[in-house]
C-alpha cells in the first residue's frame, strides 16, 4: 500500500524518504517471517537431522551480541555481560545462532529505552547455562504457558511495530530441544529472565 501510494503520488505518500524507510522495515519483517517458516518447515521433516560439531558457545554469544550493538545504541540500552571463557558445546552452529539471536533480540526489542540487559554465560553441571535478563519488561501470568506456541504473541508488548511474528520463541524451543537443551522464561523483580540449560 505504501509503495503504491508513492508511485501514485497520493497525499502523505509524496514524502518518499519517510515511506521508503517504512516499506523497507515492512519488507524486513516479511523476510524474517519467511525465513523462520522455512527453517521450521525443514526441521519438521522426518529426515531432518542436526549436524553437530564442536562450537564455542562463548564466541557464538559474543558474535550475536555484536550484531545487536546498533539496536542497543538506538534504544540507549545498557548491556552488562559476564561470559565464561572457552565454553564449548556440540551444536549445529547456524541453528544455534538463530536461537540465541532470537532470545537476545527479544531482550532488546521488548524492553523500554534506557533499560539494562544482563547476559550471563556460565559453566554449571550438567552443562553451560545462558541467562538473559531484560529489565522493564513483564509477561502476564496467563501468557507464560503459551510463550513457545507457534504464532502466539503477548499482545500487550508485542505490537506490529516491533515486528513480532509469534514464531521466534517457537523456533527457539524447537532448535534447543534438538540440541538436548531447555529454555525457561520467567518474570523477575527487575524484568524477564530467559534461561537456557545445555
Amino acid at each position: 500500500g505504501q509503495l503504491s501510494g508513492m508511485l501514485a503520488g497520493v497525499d502523505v505518500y509524496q514524502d518518499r524518504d519517510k515511506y521508503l524507510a517504512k516499506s523497507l522495515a515492512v519488507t524486513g519483517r516479511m523476510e524474517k517471517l519467511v525465513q523462520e517458516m522455512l527453517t521450521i518447515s525443514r526441521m519438521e521433516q522426518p529426515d531432518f537431522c542436526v549436524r553437530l560439531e564442536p562450537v564455542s558457545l562463548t564466541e557464538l554469544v559474543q558474535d550475536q551480541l555484536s550484531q545487536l550493538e546498533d539496536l542497543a545504541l538506538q534504544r540507549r540500552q545498557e548491556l552488562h555481560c559476564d561470559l565464561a571463557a572457552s565454553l564449548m558445546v556440540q551444536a549445529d552452529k547456524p541453528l544455534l545462532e538463530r536461537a540465541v539471536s532470537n532470545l537476545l533480540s527479544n531482550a532488546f526489542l521488548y524492553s523500554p529505552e534506557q533499560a539494562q540487559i544482563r547476559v550471563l554465560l556460565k559453566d554449571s553441571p550438567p552443562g553451560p547455562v545462558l541467562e538473559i535478563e531484560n529489565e522493564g519488561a513483564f509477561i502476564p501470568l496467563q501468557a507464560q504457558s503459551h510463550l513457545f506456541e507457534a504464532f502466539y504473541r503477548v499482545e500487550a508488548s508485542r505490537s506490529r511495530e516491533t515486528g513480532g511474528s509469534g514464531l521466534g520463541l517457537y523456533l527457539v524451543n524447537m532448535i534447543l530441544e534438538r540440541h538436548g537443551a531447555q529454555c525457561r522464561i520467567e518474570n523477575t523483580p527487575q524484568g524477564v529472565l530467559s534461561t537456557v540449560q545445555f
Side-chain angles (χ1 to χ4, degrees), residues 137-177:
F138 177 77
I139 300 171
L141 186 62
Q142 66 272 19
Q144 292 178 18
S145 61
H146 301 287
L147 290 175
F148 296 106
E149 294 175 6
F151 297 107
Y152 184 80
R153 292 166 45 143
V154 182
E155 293 301 335
S157 63
R158 299 185 181 193
S159 67
R160 286 182 62 191
E161 293 303 311
T162 61
S165 66
L167 286 176
L169 290 178
Y170 177 72
L171 186 54
V172 165
N173 195 49
M174 180 181 283
I175 291 170
L176 292 177
E177 280 184 347

Side-chain angles (χ1 to χ4, degrees), residues 85-106:
S86 306
L87 277 186
M88 302 294 294
V89 291
Q90 290 290 319
D92 185 311
K93 188 176 180 182
L95 286 179
L96 191 55
E97 284 175 338
R98 175 69 62 87
V100 171
S101 173
N102 282 1
L103 287 171
L104 289 171
S105 59
N106 279 357

Side-chain angles (χ1 to χ4, degrees), residues 14 20 45 63 79 94 113 129 132-133 148 151 161 164 187 191:
Q14 291 181 33
L20 275 174
Q45 296 302 312
D63 289 345
L79 176 63
E113 290 194 4
V129 173
I132 304 164
E133 185 175 23
F148 296 106
F151 297 107
E161 293 303 311
N187 291 316

